[in-house]
Each structure stands twice: as C-alpha cells, then as structure tokens.
Amino acid sequence: MQKSKVRKWIMRALLSLGAALALLAALAGGFWYDLDLDGEPTPNLQAGPADLGFVSATVPQRGRILAVVTSTASLHNGRRSGFELTELARAWWVFRHNGYAVDIASPLGGPPPMMRDDDLIEADYAFLNDADAQASLQASLRLSKVDPARYDAVYFVGGKGTMLDFPGNPDIARIVRDIAPRGVIGAVCHGPAALLGIELENGQTLLQGRQVNGFSNAEELFLAEDAVARLGFLLEDALRAEAGTYVEGPMYLAHSVVDARLITGQNPWSTWAVAESMIRALGHEPLARVPTAEENSVALLQLMHRDGIEAALRAKREGPRSDKHLLLLHALIAAMQWQLGDAYALQRLARA
C-alpha cells in the first residue's frame, strides 16, 4: 500500500466533520502516526514472474482459463471506470504458475479500460511488464467470439464497470451455461455481477440455493454514498435476492466462499484465495508460494478480529514482514467509523 493511498484516505476523512472529530478524538488517544513512511520497503517496479514467490517447480500444461474483464469506461454519473488491475494480475499468475494458459475476454473486445490504484505489488508490476500478459490484454477477445468449449474455467474480474455490462450479457450467460456443469466458475469483488440472472438447463438460476459473496454494501457505501446512482444497484442486494445465502466477511479483508465449483470473493484482497480455490476445484493443489506482505497484514487483521489485539501483536512480532501502510489504513477506517478503540489498537499493531 503506497503512502499516497494513506494520504488520500486522510483527505477524504477530513472532508467530513464527523470523521474529522473522530480523528481528533483518536489523536488524543494516541492514534496519530508519522506520515513519513519512506523507510518501508517499496515494490520492485521491474518485477517479473521469477520474483513472485512461487516455489520453483515444473508444472505440466493442464488446460486453459478464460478471464473476463469489463469494457465499461465510465459509470452512470460519468466517473471513470474499468477493470481492477490487481484482480486480474494476481489471478493471472496463480493460473499460469499452476499450469493453465489464460485468455482475456471482454464484452467489446480489444483494449479494455483499466483501473490502476496506488497499492500495487510485484505481481501487478510483473503483469504490466510481461509481454504475453500485455498482448493478451490489449487484444482481449470479444465475448461473442469466445468458444467456451476451449476452457476449463471462467474467472470474472472485478471493477465497478462490471455492474453495467456484466448482468444480463447473453454471451456471459452462454459461456457460464457451458462451463458450469463440467468446470469451475470464479468471480471476485464486483465480478459476481456476471452471475446474476443466468438460467441453467434445469430451469434454475446459477445462484439459486448457492452460497456466494461479492463487494458488500458496507464496503460500497463507505467508499461512495451515491453508489446506487453510480452503479444502478448494490451488488450485495442483488446477490441476496437471488442466491441461497450471501456470506459476508469483515470490510476490506480477504474473504472467499467455495460452493462446490462456484467460487466467489468479496473484495480485491480476496483475489489470491479465489484463484487458488479455483485451482483446487480443478483438481490440483496450488503451487506453494511465499505470501506477500499485504497478505500477511490481512492475516494479522483477521487474527485481531477473531482473537484480539494481543494475539495479533504476538503474531506480528514473531511472523514475517507485513505492510504497515495497510494496517494504518485500517486504523484510519476504524477512526472514520468512530471505532476509536479499534483505531488505537490498529495503530499499535502497525507500529509493533
């Protein structure tokens, strides 16, 4: 997580009087921290596949996976949109390192609009640096031209643009209907919008009676109170209305749901888990890899939610490097929600 991300959230907080008061109250309790985070390690901008922490092994070619991204470049209110780079790049490497060729497709084909945030890691830069990945992205297949029989699985990449061109797309429905009975369906963040309203041959919808998740109302509305005006609907509401069960996890922490060969993830931090669960559903144990500092931070946050701050502090002192920026960002989020005890505990975790 780059320090510019932390500064952006602070500016957003200060735009709200209530959030500003929360920050001031937290400051009195010791929440405030030094913004000079230059001592934190920075990602290798020249990273390649060999730098990504996958344990070296020769994996035979096992099959092919279709990754689907949005073609929507702007939302209903005109705000810029597209697919999320992190949600494509990290899954791309899991699929490729585990023996699967990957094709990228989009509703319109050709170069899709990309959302590139500040919180990139080596896997994301490696995707941007990789000639094969970029060639596949820039020449994404038009969905109407895709032959689903070629693929063992389909993975729907998130990004707010998916809310506009994934639901009701007849080619997405055609591809899912072909793959679902024999292969694996995966989706992350806003990507599960693709799964809405797809009727199978037995007359049931794909999601009927199934456990799923996707970007939650809490996450969506925290970022944008006008989310419905931007997107047309809230994904959690639509999933709850159609699926058997919507399984919600904590805000902005990795959380995925596996229901047989249907795998969904709640937010960008769920990408690694969704991709590796798809490999398992395809019948293979994912290749071992070294977790990223970001993943280590998410694990600490999940431990704190479950077992308390002291357990998380012990784990941080004894464990591998985590991402201080991400921990501080969660401290700020807690302060903006008036959860001042959590905010103080999280800044302790970041500084430990």
Side-chain angles (χ1 to χ4, degrees), residues 31 34 36 59 64 80 129 190-191 266 311:
F31 166 70
D34 183 5
D36 184 9
V59 177
R64 186 172 292 271
R80 188 170 68 89
N129 295 332
H190 291 88
Q266 183 168 312

Side-chain angles (χ1 to χ4, degrees), residues 180-218:
R182 58 178 176 80
V184 174
I185 309 294
V188 72
C189 199
H190 291 88
L195 310 179
L196 295 168
I198 296 179
E199 187 172 320
L200 303 178
E201 289 186 2
N202 62 8
Q204 293 186 331
T205 64
L206 175 74
L207 299 182
Q208 188 173 338
R210 308 297 292 274
Q211 293 190 343
V212 299
N213 72 359
F215 208 56
S216 69
N217 289 355

Side-chain angles (χ1 to χ4, degrees), residues 4 12 27 29 36 40 60 84 86 92 110 133 141 196 202 204 227-228 245 262 264-266 297 302 339 347 349:
S4 58
R12 181 182 184 276
L27 172 60
D36 184 9
E40 287 291 290
E84 290 290 341
T86 63
W92 170 279
L141 305 172
L196 295 168
N202 62 8
Q204 293 186 331
V228 174
T245 306
L262 175 65
T264 48
Q266 183 168 312
S297 293
Q302 291 170 325
Q339 298 170 357
Q347 66 83 30
L349 186 60

Side-chain angles (χ1 to χ4, degrees), residues 6-344:
V6 178
R7 292 193 180 110
K8 285 181 182 178
W9 278 87
I10 290 173
M11 291 305 297
R12 181 182 184 276
L14 293 175
L15 290 175
S16 163
L17 176 60
L21 291 174
L23 287 171
L24 290 173
L27 172 60
F31 166 70
W32 190 251
Y33 53 86
D34 183 5
L35 283 178
D36 184 9
L37 298 170
D38 292 332
E40 287 291 290
T42 57
N44 174 13
L45 276 60
Q46 308 304 318
D51 300 308
L52 303 185
F54 287 87
V55 175
S56 296
T58 301
V59 177
Q61 187 66 33
R62 289 168 167 164
R64 186 172 292 271
I65 295 174
L66 182 69
V68 182
V69 299
T70 182
S71 293
T72 298
S74 60
L75 303 177
H76 289 310
N77 64 349
R79 290 290 295 271
R80 188 170 68 89
S81 186
F83 77 91
E84 290 290 341
L85 168 62
T86 63
E87 297 170 23
L88 175 60
R90 301 172 195 190
W92 170 279
W93 293 120
V94 170
F95 299 153
R96 290 290 296 270
H97 279 282
N98 283 281
Y100 286 86
V102 184
D103 290 335
I104 300 173
S106 61
L108 299 181
M114 178 171 68
M115 297 299 289
R116 172 177 169 170
D117 215 330
D118 299 319
D119 52 347
L120 303 188
I121 61 175
E122 273 85 0
D124 310 314
Y125 287 110
F127 181 85
L128 293 173
N129 295 332
D130 187 80
D132 289 342
Q134 290 307 299
S136 183
L137 181 64
Q138 296 307 311
S140 74
L141 305 172
R142 192 179 184 97
L143 280 176
S144 62
K145 305 297 185 183
V146 168
D147 176 6
R150 300 184 65 215
Y151 300 99
D152 302 282
V154 60
Y155 168 68
F156 294 100
V157 180
K160 295 184 188 299
T162 65
M163 299 282 283
L164 278 67
D165 62 5
F166 277 12
N169 185 296
D171 291 302
I172 285 178
R174 173 178 60 85
I175 291 166
V176 169
R177 277 195 291 265
D178 184 282
I179 294 176
R182 58 178 176 80
V184 174
I185 309 294
V188 72
C189 199
H190 291 88
L195 310 179
L196 295 168
I198 296 179
E199 187 172 320
L200 303 178
E201 289 186 2
N202 62 8
Q204 293 186 331
T205 64
L206 175 74
L207 299 182
Q208 188 173 338
R210 308 297 292 274
Q211 293 190 343
V212 299
N213 72 359
F215 208 56
S216 69
N217 289 355
E219 291 167 318
E220 195 79 80
L221 295 172
F222 183 78
L223 292 173
E225 294 180 355
D226 64 342
V228 174
R230 295 185 185 194
L231 307 175
F233 65 99
L234 295 177
L235 181 58
E236 178 186 329
D237 288 348
L239 292 173
R240 285 188 182 278
E242 187 171 329
T245 306
Y246 176 86
V247 185
E248 184 174 359
M251 289 175 59
Y252 310 124
L253 293 182
H255 180 62
S256 59
V257 174
V258 178
D259 186 332
R261 295 193 305 275
L262 175 65
I263 296 123
T264 48
Q266 183 168 312
N267 49 43
W269 294 274
S270 311
T271 301
W272 293 109
V274 168
E276 289 177 340
S277 293
M278 289 179 66
I279 297 299
R280 289 190 185 92
L282 286 164
H284 312 284
E285 186 59 27
L287 195 67
R289 63 180 177 85
V290 179
T292 66
E294 183 183 79
E295 289 177 278
N296 294 334
S297 293
V298 169
L300 289 172
L301 291 164
Q302 291 170 325
L303 180 62
M304 178 180 154
H305 273 277
R306 187 180 69 246
D307 297 338
I309 182 60
E310 296 304 325
L313 287 168
R314 285 194 300 272
K316 188 183 181 193
R317 295 187 186 107
E318 298 169 0
R321 185 180 73 82
S322 57
D323 184 342
K324 180 178 180 181
H325 302 82
L326 183 57
L327 298 175
L328 290 173
L329 184 59
H330 275 265
L332 181 58
I333 291 169
M336 291 169 67
Q337 296 178 305
W338 288 88
Q339 298 170 357
L340 303 186
D342 286 345
Y344 178 68

